[in-house]
Amino acid sequence: MAIKYIDQADFKDKKVIARFDFNVPLSGAPLTIDDTTRIDLAIPTIRKILTGGAKKLVMMSHLGRPKAGKDKRFSLEPVASYLAERLHEEILLTESATDSAIKTMLGLSTNRIILLENLRFHPQEKANDPEFARTLASYADIYVNDAFGTCHRKHASTYGINTYFPQDAYGGMLLAREVTALAKVVERPQMPLVAILGGAKVQDKIKIIEKLLPIVSQLLIGGAMAYPFLKAQGYTVGKSLCDDGDVKLAKGILMDTTARKISLPTDHLVATSIHGDAVSITEKNIPDDMMGLDIGEVTVANYVNLISKAKTVLWNGPMGLFEKPCFAHGSMEIAKAMAHASDAFTLVGGGDSVSAVKRSGKGDLISHISTGGGASLEYIEDGELPGIQALKFGINE
Ligand code: AMP
């Protein structure tokens, strides 16, 4: 069964509850939003529901990782203010997601938009509690999920709630864009397909490596992920991040015939510690007193060349300790190479690679920047996500 998106929904005079990902970074006093991207990307779906004639729109999201109970630092108040400004409409922020006043708010003829306070103030959200899901569902006739970034989680607002909308659950416009983009990589990629994986842990990405190797033309590995592979091949990695368990996993991957598609760094930028000055090492071995912190110039040139020949490119995970400018070169060059691969479909997922792309100033030239790092990886691994599957079929648990 195919997912139903909101262009198939009739919102006229209906009450709609919609799950968004308003999990934005906040700082300062009073708290302000540092990056509004996630809210901005939800606007098209919000507008579509409102222009479709919905009587009420109840929006819900989590923000941060609060402990149970209300905590001002994780309030959705700044989100409510920002949305009111963007939409030119008043937004009623509830005391809590289960506040008894919500029933009254739903009866008011003056306000159309209600924002439930942070769902994670209730431990029942993460526990996928059926009673909590039922309460959320009781606010509306139609359910919309546009929170792609949380669809890999079986939470009440993304998963359990679907039970109560067997006919009236829809994917939002952002969800549609994410799923379409991922399908272009996983289901029907234009070849050659080049995947670039970086970041810190093989363990977290082992399943995606195994899933990608049979379908990619090349798998380029960088970041701290490269060292367990190099060590598994017998090279020295000095003080680089390199877990024995990861070396074992890397050995296993390298034994498979598909491992010929893996490219590893042939040179590095290293330092004596993460605070040290960058030194260039022109061979694979890293001296005992040094740690690898970025891919080297020759590796960059090799990876850029392979990306330039690709028709589909997927990138997840930085090529080094890119938070420090002296170790950001590899990640910046990958971002630029993807931006310049104008014939290719290019997809970036994962918080760190997304910020590397943004820092490179080339974000506009990437075909799709995913809002869900973890969700996009799980989608690639499993070809499905619980939140999306539940939208298609409802659930019976
Ligand atoms: P991940 O969440 O697995 O994508 O890892 C991202 C983190 O890995 C970022 O904070 C990077 O700074 C870090 N990272 C990438 N390469 C290295 C490296 N060579 N040494 C230490 N940290 C690294």
Side-chain angles (χ1 to χ4, degrees), residues 198-201 204-205 223-225 227 241 274 292-294 316-323 352:
K201 276 210 164 157
D204 290 356
K205 294 182 187 166
M225 255 185 67
Y227 311 122
L241 270 189
I274 58 167
L293 292 167
D294 197 4
N316 183 295
M319 296 290 98
L321 188 77
F322 81 108
E323 293 91 341
D352 287 316

Side-chain angles (χ1 to χ4, degrees), residues 15 17 43 52 57 81 91 100 108 131 144 148 167 178-179 186 212 224 260 277 288 310 337 372 383 386-387:
K15 285 183 278 182
I17 187 159
I43 300 281
L57 169 58
S81 308
I91 291 174
S100 56
L108 293 175
E131 265 315 302
V144 171
F148 174 79
Q167 305 299 328
E178 295 274 9
V179 171
V186 192
L212 285 172
R260 64 186 147 68
D277 295 328
D288 288 349

Side-chain angles (χ1 to χ4, degrees), residues 370-388:
S370 178
T371 52
S376 60
L377 282 189
E378 272 192 37
Y379 189 93
I380 292 168
E381 282 164 19
D382 303 333
E384 192 54 287
L385 295 175
I388 292 176

Side-chain angles (χ1 to χ4, degrees), residues 158-368:
T158 53
Y159 192 70
I161 194 168
N162 287 274
T163 315
Y164 304 99
F165 297 96
Q167 305 299 328
D168 292 306
Y170 298 89
M173 292 161 82
L174 178 60
L175 196 99
R177 265 177 50 201
E178 295 274 9
V179 171
T180 309
L182 282 163
K184 281 190 186 171
V185 175
V186 192
E187 283 158 32
R188 32 180 194 283
Q190 295 249 32
M191 302 305 275
L193 163 59
V194 170
I196 310 132
L197 287 184
K201 276 210 164 157
V202 177
Q203 223 170 348
D204 290 356
K205 294 182 187 166
I206 178 96
K207 265 172 71 192
I208 192 167
I209 296 175
E210 284 170 346
K211 169 81 196 194
L212 285 172
L213 272 175
I215 61 170
V216 296
S217 316
Q218 296 279 336
L219 177 63
L220 318 181
I221 294 182
M225 255 185 67
Y227 311 122
F229 283 92
L230 290 173
K231 193 161 179 189
Q233 288 180 332
Y235 297 99
T236 58
V237 298
K239 298 194 292 182
S240 308
L241 270 189
C242 186
D243 183 271
D244 284 346
D246 288 346
V247 177
K248 227 172 169 180
L249 292 173
K251 265 189 188 146
I253 292 168
L254 289 169
M255 293 218 306
D256 194 87
T257 50
T258 52
R260 64 186 147 68
K261 299 182 191 174
I262 295 178
S263 291
L264 292 167
T266 51
D267 60 344
H268 315 274
L269 282 188
V270 301
T272 49
S273 80
I274 58 167
H275 307 295
D277 295 328
V279 176
S280 171
I281 296 273
T282 56
E283 60 158 319
K284 282 188 181 176
N285 287 309
I286 296 174
D288 288 349
D289 58 339
M290 294 286 188
M291 55 168 59
L293 292 167
D294 197 4
I295 54 175
E297 204 54 63
V298 174
T299 309
V300 168
N302 178 30
Y303 286 8
V304 166
N305 178 40
L306 291 167
I307 292 167
S308 72
K309 292 179 183 150
K311 285 276 180 285
T312 309
V313 188
L314 167 73
W315 180 26
N316 183 295
M319 296 290 98
L321 188 77
F322 81 108
E323 293 91 341
K324 296 196 77 176
C326 55
F327 301 116
H329 181 69
S331 302
M332 291 302 124
E333 292 304 307
I334 296 296
K336 284 188 215 157
M338 285 182 74
H340 294 147
S342 49
D343 281 351
F345 180 79
T346 49
L347 191 153
V348 181
D352 287 316
S353 11
V354 170
S355 40
V357 163
K358 285 187 178 161
R359 254 182 34 208
S360 77
K362 301 280 183 183
D364 290 351
L365 296 171
I366 303 293
S367 313
H368 185 75

